[in-house]
Amino acid sequence: MIKRVHHIGIAVKNLKESTALYEMLLGVKAEIHEASSQRVTEACFKLGGEVEIDLLEPMGEDSAVAKFLEKRGEGLHHIALEVEDINAGLKEMEHKGVQLIDKEGREGVAGQIGFLHPKSANGVLIELIEPKDKKGQTPSHARQFINKFKSTGV
Ligand code: CMX
């Protein structure tokens, strides 16, 4: 059900300085996005089309990343794992007894996302993501529609 590591999120205090540092370290230019739903500005490094590294600077002092920086300082914030269908992925985790932060997927910059609680994963925050740029695949809302028709025998 888990397809691959989609991205790794790193919390930083100063996005401008950290972006310059990681552009030097990784040898690629970052794309900058404002993810207001997650209350972060992020610098996204696409590495050869595979795993991405995202630097996250908080928007606002009471945001999740601001609280993280205050408690733990800069460093690994979350690991994002790609799934085919966000709601099916979250449901499967719940059936396995994993504590969820999100019961259903919500809109993120790169697709539908949902978080598992770090208490259920040895202190690591895990994000499930159903990317929106899956080429040649049916989006989950369309799959749900198709499955509904199949189940009614139409
Ligand atoms: N990784 C590991 N542990 C984390 C964590 C993280 N990213 N964030 C918080 N924690 C830990 C805290 O250190 C704390 O541990 P202790 O109880 O041992 O002290 C515990 O979780 C509770 O933390 P808190 O500061 O009291 O914060 P809350 O309980 O209010 O919230 C969490 C914690 C994980 C539920 C919340 O941060 C959350 O909902 N996160 C998901 C959304 C998110 O992080 N969005 C940011 C951007 C993501 C993106 O851009 O993709």
Side-chain angles (χ1 to χ4, degrees):
M1 172 214 93
I2 302 293
K3 295 169 85 177
R4 66 180 182 110
V5 175
H6 182 274
H7 68 264
I8 292 168
I10 297 172
V12 300
K13 288 180 185 160
N14 184 318
L15 193 67
K16 203 173 166 201
E17 284 176 16
S18 298
T19 299
L21 172 66
Y22 272 76
E23 284 184 342
M24 182 274 288
L25 286 173
L26 302 173
V28 287
K29 282 269 171 207
E31 285 172 23
I32 309 292
H33 304 283
E34 291 217 337
S36 38
S37 61
Q38 294 301 308
R39 304 190 61 209
V40 291
T41 308
E42 56 185 44
C44 175
F45 294 86
K46 296 189 188 230
L47 304 171
E50 290 299 326
V51 180
E52 296 173 13
I53 293 183
D54 292 352
L55 305 180
L56 314 168
E57 182 189 70
M59 282 179 196
E61 283 171 15
D62 59 343
S63 63
V65 174
K67 279 166 83 180
F68 177 90
L69 283 170
E70 201 183 312
K71 268 197 173 171
R72 299 176 162 228
E74 293 181 304
L76 178 68
H77 181 266
H78 68 269
I79 296 175
L81 304 175
E82 182 174 330
V83 291
E84 184 71 36
D85 180 316
I86 188 69
N87 291 327
L90 289 167
K91 202 160 267 173
E92 191 177 331
M93 289 294 174
E94 193 171 31
H95 282 148
K96 289 182 187 174
V98 175
Q99 189 182 332
L100 304 182
I101 294 172
D102 299 297
K103 291 235 173 212
E104 287 194 343
R106 50 181 154 127
E107 200 68 37
V109 172
Q112 291 286 312
I113 61 171
F115 289 89
L116 315 182
H117 202 284
K119 286 198 168 106
S120 283
N122 292 129
V124 176
L125 177 63
I126 293 180
E127 174 184 330
L128 299 186
I129 177 165
E130 176 189 333
K132 59 181 162 200
D133 59 353
K134 295 181 295 178
K135 292 184 184 74
Q137 291 184 24
T138 316
S140 64
H141 62 275
R143 272 199 308 277
Q144 278 165 16
F145 189 70
I146 292 163
N147 289 340
K148 211 170 180 181
F149 267 98
K150 277 188 188 156
S151 67
T152 55
V154 178

